Amino acid sequence: MRLRVLAAAVLGSVLALTVAAHAHAEPTPAEVEKQIDTVWNTLEPVIEEHNRIKGELAANQAKVAALAEQIRPLQEQIDAARSKVAALSVREYKIGRAGGFSALMQTGSPTTFVDRLSRLEALARQQEAALADVLALKQQYDAVKLPL
């Protein structure tokens, strides 16, 4: 719609300038038609290019929206995994490695010592697995997001 109004305005301007230049004689209908054809032939490629670019923009916006929706669950998984790692880090900071070692060493019996050592190993494996999950999810997220 805007392009038609623009074309009409340009055509009107061209006609006004042409009429002013030939003020001494009225243009014939054939001359007016020729002027309209000339202006239209100039504007038509611009209009077609505009329509093509507008279509590409709409298609690209739809692709971006679809990809953003596709990676949203992955981002949520990364956020959850990072929260776990943050919680583990806070706990490690508060307790400290020395605190855990001291608690381990203060056990009264060898059986309790072995039990605590086993629990610490399991906790370490759990922390290592959580970190590996975060790294794997982040790599997967980066690979999916790269085309964006």
Side-chain angles (χ1 to χ4, degrees):
M1 179 72 178
R2 281 193 224 152
L3 291 175
R4 291 189 186 269
V5 171
L6 177 64
V10 170
L11 180 61
S13 298
V14 169
L15 289 175
L17 291 174
T18 304
V19 170
H22 298 292
H24 64 280
E26 290 288 320
T28 65
E31 289 173 337
V32 172
E33 201 170 298
K34 183 177 179 184
Q35 290 170 358
I36 291 172
D37 287 343
T38 302
V39 171
W40 178 252
N41 289 337
T42 303
L43 289 177
E44 186 177 25
V46 173
I47 294 168
E48 288 177 3
E49 181 70 9
H50 169 33
N51 290 339
R52 184 187 64 77
I53 291 172
K54 188 176 176 183
E56 285 178 7
L57 175 63
N60 287 337
Q61 287 173 334
K63 285 179 188 177
V64 167
L67 288 173
E69 186 61 29
Q70 179 184 352
I71 64 173
R72 186 181 51 78
L74 191 55
Q75 180 64 52
E76 290 170 358
Q77 288 177 341
I78 289 173
D79 292 343
R82 282 183 177 167
S83 294
K84 282 183 189 177
V85 170
L88 291 173
S89 298
V90 167
R91 193 171 110 219
E92 184 70 25
Y93 175 75
K94 286 181 178 179
I95 294 173
R97 291 192 185 275
F101 184 72
S102 295
L104 181 66
M105 296 307 292
Q106 292 175 359
T107 60
S109 70
T111 306
T112 307
F113 176 79
V114 170
D115 288 344
R116 286 187 180 176
L117 185 60
S118 297
R119 277 188 261 145
L120 283 175
E121 280 185 52
L123 180 62
R125 280 193 299 273
Q126 179 185 9
Q127 290 174 344
E128 188 176 303
L131 286 172
D133 288 346
V134 169
L135 291 175
L137 286 170
K138 178 70 170 122
Q139 288 173 345
Q140 184 181 1
Y141 177 80
D142 288 343
V144 170
K145 191 172 181 179
L146 186 61
L148 290 178

